[in-house]
Every structure is written in structure tokens, then in C-alpha cells.
Amino acid sequence: MKKVKIYKGVDQLGNLRTGKIEVPEGASAYEILISQGIKPIKIEDPSQSFWKTEIFKRKPSQEDLAFVLSQLSLLLSSGLNLTKALEVTSQQTEDKRIKQALLSIKEAIEKGESIHSAFAKGEIFPEFLLEMLKTAERGGNLEKVLEIGSEFLRKMSEIKAKVFSSLTYPAFVITFTLLSIIVVVEFVIPKVASVLSSLGKDLPLITKVLLFFSKLLGYALYLLPIVLITLFFRRKFISRESLDRYLLKVPIFGKVSFYFQLSRFAGTLRMALSSGIPIVRALSLSIGSITNEYVKSKLKNLPDELAKGKSLSELLKGTGVFPAIFISLLATGEKSGELEKSLSLLENLYDQQAMKVINFWIRLVEPIAMLVIGILVAFVMLSVILPISEISGGVKR
């Protein structure tokens, strides 16, 4: 009899692998994976995986992770080795999960595991950082890699905090207004409708429309569990690369996400070059920092092509992903010998573009929300008042 196990591991090329394997009775899942060239990080039963999924775990915030990476970078720059830096940082953090993760990373490194596979065992750091750590293993500057990761996470944390604080009030008002409308539609209007029916009167058109939408809402609630399950297991139905490609086409969100990908690519490449990392390794590092799998897949072969002496701007142009202005400014930097300056300009440019879109829609959210709420409230009030006036007219007669 075979048992199914879910695993997470690192293959011979250093790539993270996850999946399922069938384990015959008396055999070891660990040995099977090793024979397939995969070094296991975690092996568990599917039932355990479901209940221990990341959705139900309290993940450390991006701000906390940024601080940890910054602290590790600082300690490494001061002359400490990585295991000692991990030990010191774990002693200074109050978050139990971060402390446990840092100690597990330290233990893995002491056993001779690679840096990125050891950090993968911590299960708290984002995938883009694990990809960036591969470059550090090939001779890159580890403290600089950690600094780049810290800077990016801190920036993302600041943006999330800004968006969250701007949307809190409109979200609060919208939520309670919708709850009030649902209560009226589900409990008040049906009673009014039954009274009208007993008087032999027909419901006003606006009330009929509201009741129709009320029924649609009820059907939607029945479908909600199916939608949630589909979202939960979405990676079984569609690849991450295809999903990321479609996400780039989503209005507003896709544009903002793409701008941040461009900014991160330019910023990581700039910081890597300024720290003395050779351009081929720096390019690998910047590609590893990209979180959109579709964009990353278009760039994965560029370091090999760059090593053959080709122009970076021409290689990026050939991907069909980067905008013309990005290619143009990069080509100018290459020709003038001021590539880092051009990358800094591109980083700031796309950061500003992303924030411009975010700020524009944040400013519009509140007035649009108030307008929509006003229309909904007026619609509901009319659907209640008109039947009541019919009832009162019937009683008077």
C-alpha cells in the first residue's frame, strides 16, 4: 500500500521544488527524494499540510523581516560570520516565529547546507530573497544582498501602510452600510411585501428589482465556498506563470504591480553594481528579485547572453517586456558609462509612477464610495417607502 506525502525541497540546480510523491509501504520519503536529486526541507501528510497551510499561520510582517535582514547585513559588515550574526539577531528579536526561524537557519548552515536552502527552511522569507541568495553563494556580496532585500521589504511595508490607512475609513463606512442594506432587504422588505399581498396590491417596480437582487445575493452566498476553494487550490488549475501574466492585465493593480517590478529590477541592479558585484552576477541578482513569474521567465536566459558580450539594453529590448523609455534610458547609461545613474533614475521614475497611480485612486475612493452608498441608500429607502405608502393608502380607504 502506498502513502502520499507532500514535500518541499531543493534540487541539484538550487531551485525550490514542491509536490507530491507516492511512498510504498516500508519505504522512506526522504530516501526517495534524495535518489531523485532533491534535498528535502519538509515532508508531511496532505491532511497536515491543509491545516498547517500558511493561510492559518501568523506571518511576520514585512517591516519585521526588513529589520531582521538589515540587522544581519549590519552584523556581517562589522565582521561577524553568518552563524554568529543569526544567533545575535535571534537573541534580539521578540517575535517567536522569527526567533525560531533564525535558529533553524543557523542550525542548517552549521550542518553544511547552502545559504538559500537554509533560509528556505526558515519558512518566513519571500521567494525573491531566496532567489537572490543564490547569487551570494556564487560569489556575490551577502551583506549587500540582505541590504537590498531589506530595502525592498521596507518600501513595500510603507506603501501597504499608506494604502491601508487611506482605505480604512471608506471600507468601514461601506461595510456597515452594506450590512444595513442586507438587513433591510432580508427582513424589512419581505414583511412589507407580505402585507401588500394580503391587501391585494402589487409591489412597486423598484421594490421588485431590489427583491430580485436579494435573491441573486442569496445564490452568490451559496457559491462562495466553491469560489474560496477554487482560489485556495488555484495553482492546481493554472500555473503561477500564467496567473501572473493575467494579473498584469488587471486594471490599476496590473499597472502598479508592473511599475514596482521595473523599479525593483532597476534598484537591485543599481545597488549590486555599486557594491562591486560583476554585471552578470548583478543581473542574476536583479532577476531573482522579481516576484512576477511571467516577467522572470522572460529574463531567465539573459545572464548567459550578457556573458557573451551582448548589450544589456538590447537584451532587455528583445524580451518584449520592458517599455521603450526604460530601454532608451538604459542604453544612454551604457553609452555614457553612467549605467548606475541611469538605473537610479529608472528606479525613482517607476516608483513615482506607481505611487502616482496609487495616490490618484486613493483620492477617488472616498468620494466614489460616498456616491455609490448614497445611491444605494436612496434606492433602498424608496423601495421601502413606496410600499409603505401603498399600505397606508389601502388602510385609509
Side-chain angles (χ1 to χ4, degrees), residues 181-195:
I181 290 172
I182 289 171
V183 169
V184 171
V185 169
E186 292 296 324
F187 298 102
V188 177
I189 291 182
K191 290 184 178 179
V192 174
S194 64
V195 173

Side-chain angles (χ1 to χ4, degrees), residues 193-207:
S194 64
V195 173
L196 272 177
S197 297
S198 66
L199 293 174
K201 292 184 176 293
D202 195 18
L203 287 172
L205 176 61
I206 193 170
T207 308

Side-chain angles (χ1 to χ4, degrees), residues 122-353:
E123 298 186 337
I124 60 171
F125 294 103
E127 286 186 18
F128 82 85
L129 179 68
L130 304 180
E131 291 293 324
M132 291 167 68
L133 288 171
K134 292 180 185 178
T135 303
E137 291 171 352
R138 295 195 294 267
N141 191 327
L142 179 57
E143 55 262 35
K144 201 66 182 179
V145 170
L146 295 173
E147 182 185 340
I148 292 170
S150 171
E151 183 178 308
F152 170 72
L153 287 174
R154 186 178 293 108
K155 186 185 294 184
M156 289 298 100
S157 176
E158 290 172 357
I159 291 169
K160 281 186 177 181
K162 181 178 180 180
V163 173
F164 180 78
S165 62
S166 301
L167 296 179
T168 299
Y169 175 70
F172 179 82
V173 173
I174 290 171
T175 300
F176 277 90
T177 302
L178 290 177
L179 286 174
S180 302
I181 290 172
I182 289 171
V183 169
V184 171
V185 169
E186 292 296 324
F187 298 102
V188 177
I189 291 182
K191 290 184 178 179
V192 174
S194 64
V195 173
L196 272 177
S197 297
S198 66
L199 293 174
K201 292 184 176 293
D202 195 18
L203 287 172
L205 176 61
I206 193 170
T207 308
K208 288 181 179 179
V209 170
L210 193 63
L211 286 172
F212 173 73
F213 281 109
S214 167
K215 290 180 180 178
L216 286 182
L217 178 62
Y219 294 139
L221 290 176
Y222 286 120
L223 293 173
L224 185 60
I226 299 173
V227 173
L228 292 176
I229 291 171
T230 303
L231 288 173
F232 188 82
F233 295 105
R234 63 188 181 278
R235 292 188 183 179
K236 295 185 180 294
F237 305 109
I238 184 171
S239 68
R240 173 74 182 275
E241 185 179 325
S242 299
L243 181 62
D244 285 350
R245 182 180 182 180
Y246 292 130
L247 286 176
L248 288 176
K249 297 178 181 180
V250 175
I252 305 170
F253 174 81
K255 182 182 289 188
V256 170
S257 174
F258 184 58
Y259 286 158
F260 278 131
Q261 298 293 334
L262 295 177
S263 171
R264 185 187 311 170
F265 178 85
T268 304
L269 188 56
R270 173 188 61 79
M271 291 186 70
L273 291 174
S274 65
S275 64
I277 297 175
I279 189 167
V280 176
R281 288 178 181 165
L283 180 59
S284 297
L285 182 64
S286 57
I287 293 172
S289 71
I290 293 175
T291 55
N292 186 288
E293 290 298 325
Y294 172 71
V295 176
K296 187 185 288 186
S297 69
K298 293 288 186 178
L299 308 178
K300 63 182 179 181
N301 296 323
L302 295 192
D304 293 335
E305 295 297 318
L306 187 65
K308 296 175 182 178
K310 295 184 179 180
S311 163
L312 177 59
S313 56
E314 287 299 319
L315 288 173
L316 293 180
K317 184 178 180 180
T319 63
V321 173
F322 288 76
I325 188 173
F326 192 104
I327 304 298
S328 177
L329 285 172
L330 197 64
T332 302
E334 285 183 310
K335 291 175 183 177
S336 64
E338 296 184 332
L339 183 57
E340 291 177 30
K341 186 176 180 180
S342 294
L343 289 168
S344 178
L345 181 62
L346 286 167
E347 180 185 9
N348 293 329
L349 172 65
Y350 285 103
D351 258 346
Q352 290 170 9
Q353 289 286 342

